[in-house]
Amino acid sequence: MTLHTPSRLARQLMLSSAIALSLAATVPVAAMAQDNETITIASANDITSLDPHMLDSNHPTGSVIWSIFDSLVRRAPDGSTEPRLATSWERIDDVTWRFNLREGVTFTNGEPFNAEAVKINMERMNTTPWATVQQLHDQTGLIEVNVVDDYTIELVTEAPTVNMLYWLAEAFIGAPQYLTDTAADKVASEPVGSGPYKLDSWNRDDRLTLVVNDTYWGDAPDAETVVFRVVPETSSRLNELRAGTADVIVDITPDTAGQADSDISEAVYVEGLRKMHMGINIEGEQPALKDIKVRQALNHAVDVDTIITALLDGKTVPIPSIVNPPNNNPDLAAFDYDPEKAKALLAEAGYADGFPLTIQYSTRFAGGKEVSEVVASYLQQVGIEPTVEAVELGQFRQMLSGSSTKGIYFMGWAALINPSVELVILTCGHVDNSSGYCNEEYDALVHEAAQTLDDDARLALEFEAQQTVWNDAPWLYMWRLPVVFGKANNITYDFRADNYVEPYLMTTE
Amino acid sequence: MSVLRRLIPGKRDMLGTIGAGILLFVALGAVLAPMIAPYDPTAISLLDRMQPPMWLEGGSLAHPLGTDNLGRDMLSRVIYGSRISLAVGVAAVIVGAAIGSTIGIVAGYFGGWVDSILSVVINAQLSFPFILLAIFILSTFGGGFWPVVLVLALGAWVNYARVVRGTVMSVRTQDYVHAAISVGVPTLRLLRTTVLPNTLSPIIVVASFSMAQAILAEAALSFLGVGVDGANPSWGVMLNDGRAYLQTAWWLTAMPGLAIAITVLGGNLCGDWLQDRFNPRIGN
Amino acid sequence: MFRFLIRRLAMAVIVLLIVSFTTFIVGHMTGDPVELIAPENATREAKEQLREYLGLNRPLLVQYTSYIGNALQGDLGFSFVQQAAVSDLIMERLPATLKLAFTGFILSLVIAVPLGIFIALNRNSVWDFLATSVAMIGQSAPNFWIGLMLIAFFAVHLKILPVSGYGGVSYIILPAITIALQSAARLTRLMRASMLEVLNADYVRTARSKGLRQRTVLWVHSFRNAMIPIVTMAGLELAELIGGAFITETIFAWPGVGRLAVNAVYQRDFPLVQGVVLFAATAFVVINLLVDLLYVLIDPRVKLS
């Protein structure tokens, strides 16, 4: 094959006219064009690893991985599923899913994407150490990956599951040969994917730069370069946004968000999904917590609305159920603030004189200390003697998975829209069931729902389960964690409640 | 020149007095906190959040130093904070001095391999990045009053061991000690009657400096989130809590910091003064 | 001289062994790194597998000896959290730390040495009183607080310097001043005291009585001798700075070894913490050795054995 190449003279002519054109352009236009080519995203933490199967936090590590790698499907902000490397899919029986794969996709090192690549990636995900972090197999019960042909693959699970698409969205596919042949530290710092961007440079704890992947199968993103910067102090991130040196800032708290509004920038509030609560450890040091009346009393004793107004700038709402809308049982209502009722309930339970109670928090969530102190002061008013205690994060997580917190603890679970995943957390002995709650009736409902493929029947079961657990009050219900971003006015993007930021979907003007 | 020279002890004594005065003032504040603090330092009032100090616009006499992010009175918190900070300082000094002096006496008195081991340990300790070790230990075992005191003592005992060892070695060569040994005075009694009294003054000098150091270090540890965090917070914890509001409410950080600086200054001035008195060769 | 070196080197090795062992033991006492590495909803089996994979279930002594064995070959282990070699991570941050350390160090020397000499020569003047008071206060205020106040004033209020971060010259100003102030306060006081002591020493008095010119006395006799304690102290300060100005780097988001270490502690990244501690201790020991050698150059009277 011969390509017709323009003569040298012709090329020179083209070049000089290009220069003439660019000289003719007015300065402001040039400046704006320059500005639009790069999006700078400032976050509190650094990226930990670029290994596609080591994704441990949604942002910033997750956001970078979502930009460099593709998964089979994308989880849209509303929880629905969109095609990505898979173009379509169907359930062919209770335990088998078939995916048709996108053709003509290559990784940035030239390797082709096909069914074999998916299989190799999924095998790696199920190998230690990646298996600990990558949860596709654990959460879906995936046991078999069958290559049907080059662009068709079947996934077989142990039992029927409604969660396959949810977890596939976070199962990223890297260049198979490269993943197999390369040392772990190189994979983690020199990623090879098929996504809209590829890595340009990375200075840890400072900045990571992505450039457009010219061979990307989809629409080219607006910004040619994306810079992820680490700016730990909230006030610094706000300053950078206002000064125009950052276009998007992440991890800001509601009570400082007002400072994001300026001539060139604004705060964006997204309705949060993470359900914040004080977990009540039924198996903890305080036996009073075994009594359902005591747990309900705690819920009546704390004025959640006032806390939301004062500490969260009114930017969120109390949780309506342990399941996020739109799947929540609409018959449930938040416990009202009623200290007298709380005292009465305590008296009925035989604790009219109160009891000592430890409130624990960790650095996991910003504001944990303030919230714990405020809750303590409310509990004091109904006669309980609270002590507030900070716990180191590693120990805190250990306590959570062993249900060994002392009394009540500040926590938030399940920033997602998937009733099955949200409900299973409180079943007997579940690893995330940190309150030691165990109600067999509830368990039966949840397990039946998870295997019910008929939508209406499943919803009815889930509503009933929500009702049961809500009254049993294993949590002191609080609010949905408000998610706040700051962005430059010229950027348009549908920000997500789960904190992932997808620069390739941002448009600049 | 001669006039000035006569002024030297005067000036020295004056600075020493100022130092002692500061410490006394802070100690009194700590002891009398319930009587002088205008509010309960833990009383939360969400509606009065982040009021500025009284001399700024929006401030009021009701809260002379303003309120914090949960509407608690800053003045009361600073007063109560002195309890924790001073207690940590004093406890760290006592524990550190006890450990350090004992080791110093043993090493200085017996010499030989005991002494060699000590000097290796001292060297190892001095080449340790102390703050890192401290946050490492505290983040592993959890913070709190006694853990912090122990860690600070762990960092300070070397200073006592070194001075005490030196003093003991010089005391040991004195004639009366030799005489006592030769007539068979028991070792423990000998240490108590001859060695210990001589080591007291260097210990006091080291103690006053290391108390200042302990208060600073506690603040640093609390600042990194591994300090003494209770219902009544230390100054360092208050400083750390205020950090997020540096832009909107700088007084949350400025007030406890100022309290630390003043107290530590008191300790350092006292230390300088005592050092001059006990060891006039240095500095004069 | 040779014997001295051998002894110092042997000492250094013992010290480093103690340091590494202590860190190792503390790190493994409580707190499970797997809990921090694994996602919140990982299953117990998955965590157990990871523990095994990381070798965390082997006996402590076995883990330690294999660590030391590798360290001797320059391999400080692998950070699981960051998926990178520990030595690479440290080397990556070292330039930033060195830049800050030397800027702060030089700044503090430039302030402290001339100022200390000046006030020693003008003892009990107003300048002396002012400078000693300021140095005293500088030594008493927590330096992270000074850092925050500098940020509040220059960056938040005046908006003339960046709040934090790493970049052009403007970024280094505040952290360097924060470091320099504390160290300059200490060094000024020491310089003054040491200069006074030397000025009162017999040999200087003799020199003066022999009618040597004041300037000669000052520079030839006094200055050189007065520098000896300063060199020791400055050496210690520098060694500490190179090990990482932990808090200053954290406040100013300076991507150096200090911040690496603090983050590693919080993330319970054992290999990384051990690596940084060993690195900082080594820097300390080596610089001290150099300072000892420098003694010989400054003061030939110092006998080395």
Side-chain angles (χ1 to χ4, degrees):
Chain A
M1 190 166 72
T2 43
L3 276 172
H4 175 76
T5 50
S7 71
R8 213 175 132 171
L9 181 66
R11 268 187 288 157
Q12 272 178 356
L13 277 173
M14 278 163 63
L15 191 66
S16 54
S17 59
I19 291 170
L21 267 176
S22 70
L23 282 176
T26 53
V27 176
V29 171
M32 267 184 68
Q34 178 70 35
D35 198 40
N36 287 346
E37 282 169 0
T38 301
I39 293 178
T40 302
I41 301 168
S43 335
N45 303 305
D46 194 19
I47 294 96
T48 46
S49 160
L50 296 180
D51 188 318
H53 307 141
M54 274 289 171
L55 193 168
D56 66 342
S57 65
N58 295 9
H59 185 84
T61 305
S63 300
V64 174
I65 290 195
W66 282 47
S67 303
I68 298 177
F69 295 94
D70 285 318
S71 45
L72 294 187
V73 297
R74 170 178 183 256
R75 191 190 307 146
D78 62 3
S80 65
T81 306
E82 296 172 356
R84 214 172 164 183
L85 283 178
T87 49
S88 60
W89 51 88
E90 58 180 330
R91 288 181 86 131
I92 49 179
D93 60 49
D94 277 3
V95 293
T96 311
W97 295 70
R98 172 177 290 182
F99 292 83
N100 298 311
L101 305 179
R102 196 174 293 278
E103 298 184 24
V105 175
T106 50
F107 294 98
T108 49
N109 65 350
E111 286 183 51
F113 166 75
N114 51 32
E116 194 57 35
V118 176
K119 186 175 165 74
I120 290 174
N121 270 272
M122 289 190 172
E123 275 164 7
R124 186 173 187 261
M125 290 174 204
N126 199 27
T127 315
T128 312
W130 301 284
T132 316
V133 179
Q134 184 59 246
Q135 301 185 66
L136 179 66
H137 293 75
D138 278 346
Q139 301 284 353
T140 60
L142 176 65
I143 44 170
E144 239 178 82
V145 180
N146 298 323
V147 174
V148 177
D149 60 44
D150 263 7
Y151 296 101
T152 313
I153 199 155
E154 280 177 6
L155 304 183
V156 182
T157 57
E158 220 170 352
T161 175
V162 293
N163 294 326
M164 179 55 82
L165 296 172
Y166 181 86
W167 291 103
L168 270 184
E170 287 184 10
F172 289 89
I173 310 297
Q177 203 60 45
Y178 178 75
L179 286 179
T180 322
D181 297 346
T182 316
D185 55 339
K186 196 173 172 204
V187 168
S189 57
E190 296 168 29
V192 178
S194 59
Y197 286 102
K198 56 187 181 184
L199 182 69
D200 178 55
S201 64
W202 182 18
N203 299 325
R204 284 170 203 267
D205 263 353
D206 180 26
R207 67 186 60 215
L208 180 146
T209 308
L210 298 177
V211 290
V212 144
N213 170 13
D214 297 327
T215 60
Y216 180 52
W217 52 268
D219 295 338
D222 251 26
E224 270 193 14
T225 313
V226 179
V227 180
F228 284 84
R229 287 189 41 210
V230 189
V231 184
E233 295 285 329
T234 307
S235 55
S236 309
R237 287 196 298 284
L238 289 161
N239 280 341
E240 299 237 10
L241 180 71
R242 297 164 60 99
T245 50
D247 301 302
V248 172
I249 60 173
V250 186
D251 311 315
I252 54 179
T253 51
D255 64 339
T256 53
Q259 296 169 41
D261 293 316
S262 77
D263 295 347
I264 58 160
S265 62
E266 63 194 358
V268 181
Y269 300 89
V270 181
E271 203 175 332
L273 296 177
R274 192 174 287 276
K275 291 160 296 237
M276 305 310 296
H277 59 272
M278 284 280 169
I280 301 174
N281 190 2
I282 296 166
E283 302 297 329
E285 283 176 2
Q286 182 45 261
L289 299 179
K290 288 193 197 306
D291 194 316
I292 183 172
K293 283 187 181 127
V294 170
R295 300 200 297 269
Q296 288 174 343
L298 295 183
N299 272 290
H300 283 297
V302 177
D303 187 353
V304 174
D305 284 316
T306 301
I307 303 181
I308 289 176
T309 312
L311 293 187
L312 302 166
D313 201 29
K315 288 298 192 301
T316 185
V317 289
I319 54 176
S321 163
I322 73 156
V323 168
N324 277 324
N327 307 306
N328 62 314
N329 181 342
D331 297 337
L332 298 177
F335 285 74
D336 50 335
Y337 173 55
D338 187 345
E340 290 315 314
K341 192 166 176 186
K343 282 185 200 162
L345 280 166
L346 285 176
E348 273 177 49
Y351 294 99
D353 299 330
F355 51 84
L357 182 64
T358 309
I359 305 177
Q360 292 173 308
Y361 69 92
S362 76
T363 51
R364 173 69 178 81
F365 296 104
K369 183 175 178 183
E370 282 97 332
V371 172
S372 304
E373 284 176 342
V374 171
V375 166
S377 87
Y378 277 116
L379 294 184
Q380 218 160 12
Q381 285 162 25
V382 298
I384 293 166
E385 304 136 40
T387 325
V388 175
E389 193 179 283
V391 185
E392 186 271 324
L393 183 55
Q395 282 167 344
F396 190 67
R397 289 194 168 163
Q398 232 166 335
M399 284 178 171
L400 292 181
S401 59
S403 302
S404 57
T405 49
K406 289 182 181 168
I408 66 177
Y409 53 92
F410 187 55
M411 187 55 201
W413 278 120
L416 48 90
I417 302 175
N418 184 325
S420 150
V421 178
E422 293 173 87
L423 286 168
V424 78
I425 284 172
L426 283 167
T427 52
C428 300
H430 188 274
V431 64
D432 295 341
N433 185 353
S434 338
S435 38
Y437 172 68
C438 188
N439 181 338
E440 277 161 23
E441 191 191 328
Y442 173 77
D443 280 19
L445 290 166
V446 173
H447 288 139
E448 199 185 334
Q451 299 188 2
T452 304
L453 299 175
D454 176 72
D455 285 349
D456 289 337
R458 187 173 67 239
L459 203 63
L461 288 165
E462 283 166 356
F463 275 11
E464 207 183 329
Q466 290 179 45
Q467 174 82 51
T468 310
V469 70
W470 188 257
N471 288 332
D472 283 347
W475 293 353
L476 196 176
Y477 306 109
M478 299 180 107
W479 49 79
R480 286 198 272 160
L481 187 70
V483 183
V484 194
F485 301 89
K487 73 166 191 71
N489 289 337
N490 67 345
I491 286 186
T492 315
Y493 172 63
D494 188 6
F495 281 93
R496 313 169 59 102
D498 58 14
N499 244 341
Y500 283 109
V501 171
E502 303 147 299
Y504 57 99
L505 295 176
M506 292 180 183
T507 54
T508 56
E509 35 176 272
Chain B
M1 193 65 198
S2 64
V3 179
L4 272 176
R5 185 154 290 174
R6 232 176 293 144
L7 274 176
I8 299 163
K11 195 188 88 183
R12 284 280 162 190
D13 282 342
M14 189 186 80
L15 286 179
T17 316
I18 293 177
I22 291 175
L23 288 186
L24 193 69
F25 177 75
V26 177
L28 272 179
V31 173
L32 303 178
M35 288 153 79
I36 54 178
Y39 297 88
D40 174 351
T42 60
I44 288 171
S45 170
L46 289 179
L47 298 177
D48 303 316
R49 304 177 71 217
M50 298 202 270
Q51 289 184 6
M54 62 181 188
W55 61 87
L56 290 183
E57 204 183 318
S60 75
L61 261 177
H63 300 284
L65 298 186
T67 60
D68 75 356
N69 52 330
L70 296 181
R72 294 169 294 200
D73 181 53
M74 280 303 287
L75 177 62
S76 309
R77 285 175 75 72
V78 169
I79 293 174
Y80 271 90
S82 66
R83 292 189 149 190
I84 312 293
S85 293
L86 276 191
V88 168
V90 171
V93 160
I94 293 174
V95 177
I99 300 173
S101 318
T102 313
I103 294 178
I105 289 178
V106 171
Y109 189 83
F110 295 104
W113 61 270
V114 180
D115 195 38
S116 309
I117 289 180
L118 178 72
S119 64
V120 172
V121 174
I122 288 180
N123 255 297
Q125 166 102 47
L126 289 179
S127 54
F128 230 104
F130 173 69
I131 282 286
L132 184 59
L133 176 70
I135 53 172
F136 194 29
I137 294 179
L138 292 172
S139 69
T140 309
F141 298 106
F145 186 83
W146 285 110
V148 169
V149 165
L150 288 178
V151 165
L152 294 181
L154 189 69
W157 71 270
V158 193
N159 301 324
Y160 298 96
R162 282 206 298 188
V163 264
V164 170
R165 173 177 165 273
T167 317
V168 172
M169 283 177 125
S170 70
V171 171
R172 224 182 144 238
T173 56
Q174 306 284 323
D175 290 342
Y176 66 96
V177 179
H178 278 299
I181 294 174
S182 60
V183 296
V185 177
T187 311
L188 264 181
R189 198 167 131 212
L190 191 70
L191 285 174
R192 205 176 59 234
T193 53
T194 63
V195 175
L196 207 55
N198 279 293
T199 55
L200 261 186
S201 56
I203 289 177
I204 290 174
V205 173
V206 174
S208 81
F209 282 122
S210 73
M211 168 146 159
Q213 283 309 310
I215 291 175
L216 269 185
E218 186 277 324
L221 291 174
S222 294
F223 181 72
L224 289 170
V226 289
V228 187
D229 198 1
N232 291 337
S234 73
W235 289 328
V237 171
M238 292 168 66
L239 232 164
N240 191 23
D241 289 352
R243 195 167 144 204
Y245 305 92
L246 200 56
Q247 187 141 14
T248 40
W250 55 267
W251 56 93
L252 301 192
T253 336
M255 299 309 168
L258 211 56
I260 296 169
I262 292 173
T263 312
V264 173
L265 181 66
N268 279 340
L269 286 174
C270 268
D272 265 8
W273 179 52
L274 291 169
Q275 191 166 52
D276 278 355
R277 297 210 34 176
F278 291 132
N279 188 0
R281 204 178 61 86
I282 300 174
N284 240 337
Chain C
M1 180 75 191
F2 188 67
R3 264 192 58 196
F4 165 80
L5 262 182
I6 292 290
R7 257 186 53 187
R8 287 304 311 255
L9 281 176
M11 186 69 143
V13 170
I14 296 173
V15 162
L16 290 178
L17 274 178
I18 296 180
V19 166
S20 61
F21 190 69
T22 315
T23 327
F24 194 84
I25 291 300
V26 172
H28 283 74
M29 294 285 245
T30 68
D32 187 344
V34 170
E35 292 290 340
L36 281 176
I37 297 166
E40 271 159 2
N41 38 15
T43 61
R44 293 191 184 100
E45 295 74 35
K47 287 182 189 168
E48 197 44 55
Q49 273 170 17
L50 183 62
R51 222 162 268 140
E52 202 166 303
Y53 174 83
L54 293 176
L56 290 170
N57 53 355
R58 292 179 298 164
L60 269 191
L61 208 61
V62 175
Q63 290 186 46
Y64 178 69
T65 38
S66 84
Y67 173 70
I68 288 296
N70 291 334
L72 286 177
Q73 296 160 31
D75 172 13
L76 291 176
F78 189 77
S79 156
F80 185 81
V81 178
Q82 308 227 25
Q83 289 285 302
V86 168
S87 46
D88 289 351
L89 287 173
I90 295 177
M91 286 306 143
E92 232 172 68
R93 314 299 165 92
L94 195 56
T97 290
L98 289 180
K99 200 163 140 190
L100 181 59
F102 279 103
T103 313
F105 180 66
I106 291 169
L107 193 60
S108 94
L109 280 185
V110 165
I111 299 171
V113 173
L115 187 62
I117 295 175
F118 174 76
I119 60 177
L121 293 177
N122 299 281
R123 189 150 68 118
N124 300 324
S125 67
V126 181
W127 297 116
D128 183 15
F129 185 76
L130 268 181
T132 5
S133 309
V134 171
M136 194 81 207
I137 293 168
Q139 222 178 326
S140 303
N143 76 334
F144 55 90
W145 180 68
I146 292 181
L148 287 178
M149 291 298 110
L150 288 175
I151 292 176
F153 189 68
F154 289 102
V156 177
H157 184 67
L158 295 182
K159 297 188 198 303
I160 53 173
L161 288 171
V163 176
S164 65
Y166 187 63
V169 178
S170 60
Y171 286 89
I172 204 172
I173 297 176
L174 291 183
I177 291 178
T178 307
I179 285 180
L181 279 184
Q182 185 128 40
S183 152
R186 272 196 291 263
L187 290 178
T188 306
R189 281 162 52 86
L190 188 68
M191 186 74 225
R192 176 184 180 275
S194 148
M195 197 69 192
L196 285 179
E197 187 160 352
V198 173
L199 285 175
N200 286 335
D202 293 340
Y203 63 96
V204 176
R205 288 205 199 128
T206 319
R208 269 193 195 146
S209 65
K210 274 198 278 179
L212 286 178
R213 285 176 53 219
Q214 172 88 15
R215 188 167 295 177
T216 322
V217 172
L218 179 63
W219 290 117
V220 177
H221 296 269
S222 320
F223 181 67
R224 223 166 116 152
N225 289 314
M227 279 312 283
I228 294 171
I230 299 294
V231 169
T232 319
M233 186 65 153
L236 290 177
E237 302 261 341
L238 183 64
E240 244 168 63
L241 288 178
I242 288 178
F246 299 104
I247 299 187
T248 311
E249 287 188 359
T250 307
I251 295 175
F252 289 98
W254 193 261
V257 179
R259 191 160 141 236
L260 179 71
V262 172
N263 285 342
V265 167
Y266 290 140
Q267 293 177 324
R268 190 125 310 182
D269 191 345
F270 290 151
L272 190 48
V273 175
Q274 282 159 17
V276 176
V277 170
L278 207 58
F279 165 78
T282 312
F284 199 91
V285 169
V286 169
I287 289 180
N288 268 322
L289 208 59
L290 292 179
V291 167
D292 284 345
L293 294 178
L294 207 57
Y295 270 177
V296 196
L297 299 178
I298 300 179
D299 185 1
R301 290 175 309 162
V302 176
K303 287 212 180 80
L304 296 175
S305 58

